């Protein structure tokens, strides 16, 4: 079973993003979708969408701490943490993966991550100045990382670039509120070494997931719209 953890928050793009992702997940066997709202209540719109997919799901909510405002705050952390707690309390085996609501995933990724014994890694497209973030492989082992922002990280990888076998979700496993270091600190909290990492996607030579971003929708100017409508010929 793959546990696909998606943090999400309300904005005009939320339902379109989740519709697209949900329609990808509907092609995947043995998948359980954990949708984690960053609000104090689970959104009814999101719940209706989840029900319509017919997928097994868990819908939880965990509001982000009010201190995190502005642009450079740890995004989707309280909700991912809540998903981790739910997994630890309810699931003994399977593979977990952090899949944001706006990413684009090739169906082959699911066949790949299902094989994760401990921690697997693979490239993510459309990241930073290099356009990609990927482990570098030598003799079938991860020896370094190609990422335009090393940021003094031990594991400079994107959130979408790794999967973890739930057996290795230790009691100390958590994600700190540390903007830019969420992935690294989560992987460090698992106590893994470079040698433990299983490279997937043909020795990390293929991109099977992209960090796509949607242009933010501008609020329409309703006054102008109404004027235009009133000018339509009768
Ligand atoms: N997110 C969230 N709360 C927020 C901002 C983002 O739960 O206040 C979620 C968002 O829905 C996405 C993930 O966290 O699944 C990453 O956020 P975003 O895509 O905005 O960040 P980026 O990919 O640009 O780093
Ligand atoms: Mn994103």
């Amino acid at each position: 079973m793959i546990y696909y953890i998606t943090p999400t928050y309300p904005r005009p793009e939320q339902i379109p993003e989740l519709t697209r992702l949900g329609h990808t997940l509907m092609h995947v066997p043995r998948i359980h979708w954990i949708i984690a709202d960053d609000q104090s209540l689970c959104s009814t719109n999101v719940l209706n969408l989840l029900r319509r997919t017919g997928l097994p799901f868990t819908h939880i909510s965990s509001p982000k701490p009010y201190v995190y405002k502005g642009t450079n705050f740890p995004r989707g952390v309280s909700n991912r943490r809540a998903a981790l707690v739910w997994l630890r309390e309810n699931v003994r085996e399977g593979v977990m993966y952090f899949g944001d609501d706006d990413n684009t995933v090739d169906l082959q990724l699911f066949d790949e991550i299902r094989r994760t014994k401990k921690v697997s890694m693979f490239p993510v497209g459309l990241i930073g100045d290099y356009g990609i973030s990927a482990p570098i492989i030598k003799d079938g082992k991860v020896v370094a990382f190609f990422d335009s922002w090393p940021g003094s990280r031990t594991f400079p990888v994107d959130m979408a670039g790794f999967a973890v076998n739930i057996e290795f979700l230790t009691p100390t496993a958590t994600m700190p509120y540390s903007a830019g270091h969420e992935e690294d600190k989560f992987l460090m909290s698992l106590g893994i070494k470079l040698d433990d990492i299983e490279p997937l996607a043909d020795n990390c030579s293929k991109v099977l997931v992209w960090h796509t971003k949607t242009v933010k929708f501008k609020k329409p100017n309703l006054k102008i719209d109404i004027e235009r409508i009133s000018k339509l010929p009768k």
Side-chain angles (χ1 to χ4, degrees):
M1 197 73 156
I2 293 171
Y3 292 85
Y4 199 93
I5 301 174
T6 301
T8 193
Y9 71 110
R11 77 271 192 206
E13 301 82 12
Q14 181 181 39
I15 296 301
E17 304 280 28
L18 289 173
T19 299
R20 186 173 48 199
L21 175 59
H23 288 191
T24 299
L25 300 185
M26 283 163 76
H27 292 282
V28 183
R30 286 175 288 130
I31 190 148
H32 184 115
W33 199 6
I34 305 176
I35 287 250
D37 262 306
D38 84 345
Q39 303 295 296
S40 43
L41 290 174
C42 287
S43 143
T44 313
N45 287 341
V46 172
L47 180 61
N48 289 340
L49 186 149
L50 278 166
R51 288 200 174 120
R52 285 178 57 218
T53 64
L55 290 163
F57 69 84
T58 298
H59 189 193
I60 51 176
S61 76
S62 174
K64 72 176 158 224
Y66 72 94
V67 287
Y68 296 118
K69 297 189 192 105
T71 46
N72 193 27
F73 64 89
R75 309 168 84 71
V77 173
S78 67
N79 27 356
R80 286 196 198 94
R81 286 161 70 109
L84 287 172
V85 170
W86 184 88
L87 268 184
R88 251 203 314 266
E89 285 175 359
N90 295 283
V91 180
R92 295 275 78 84
E93 56 184 52
V95 170
M96 58 134 287
Y97 178 74
F98 291 121
D100 288 356
D101 58 6
D102 53 345
N103 287 348
T104 305
V105 200
D106 187 308
L107 291 177
Q108 202 190 324
L109 184 83
F110 300 93
D111 300 336
E112 296 275 334
I113 61 176
R114 220 183 276 286
R115 298 191 261 136
T116 305
K117 292 190 190 71
K118 195 169 183 180
V119 176
S120 60
M121 287 191 187
F122 33 88
V124 181
L126 303 177
I127 299 279
D129 292 341
Y130 296 166
I132 190 165
S133 169
I136 296 173
I137 312 301
K138 194 172 178 232
D139 302 327
K141 282 280 175 196
V142 176
V143 291
F145 296 92
F146 183 77
D147 188 293
S148 58
W149 184 66
S152 68
R153 296 180 290 171
T154 305
F155 301 106
V157 295
D158 184 70
M159 197 64 80
F162 60 89
V164 180
N165 192 305
I166 287 164
E167 250 182 80
F168 291 91
L169 220 50
T170 53
T172 53
T174 189
M175 185 171 290
Y177 290 95
S178 176
H181 292 85
E182 295 92 339
E183 299 88 345
D184 187 41
K185 293 196 172 163
F186 170 71
L187 290 163
M188 296 292 278
S189 81
L190 300 179
I192 59 156
K193 306 266 174 310
L194 209 56
D195 205 45
D196 295 325
I197 302 168
E198 304 143 50
L200 299 179
D202 241 342
N203 262 336
C204 295
S205 65
K206 285 187 181 150
V207 175
L208 299 174
V209 55
W210 293 265
H211 190 254
T212 36
K213 284 175 192 264
T214 302
V215 174
K216 287 262 175 284
F217 180 74
K218 281 204 206 92
K219 258 190 168 178
N221 185 337
L222 282 177
K223 193 167 156 268
I224 288 176
D225 281 352
I226 288 162
E227 277 171 11
R228 277 193 190 153
I229 291 165
S230 63
K231 275 183 199 147
L232 283 175
K234 296 243 162 68

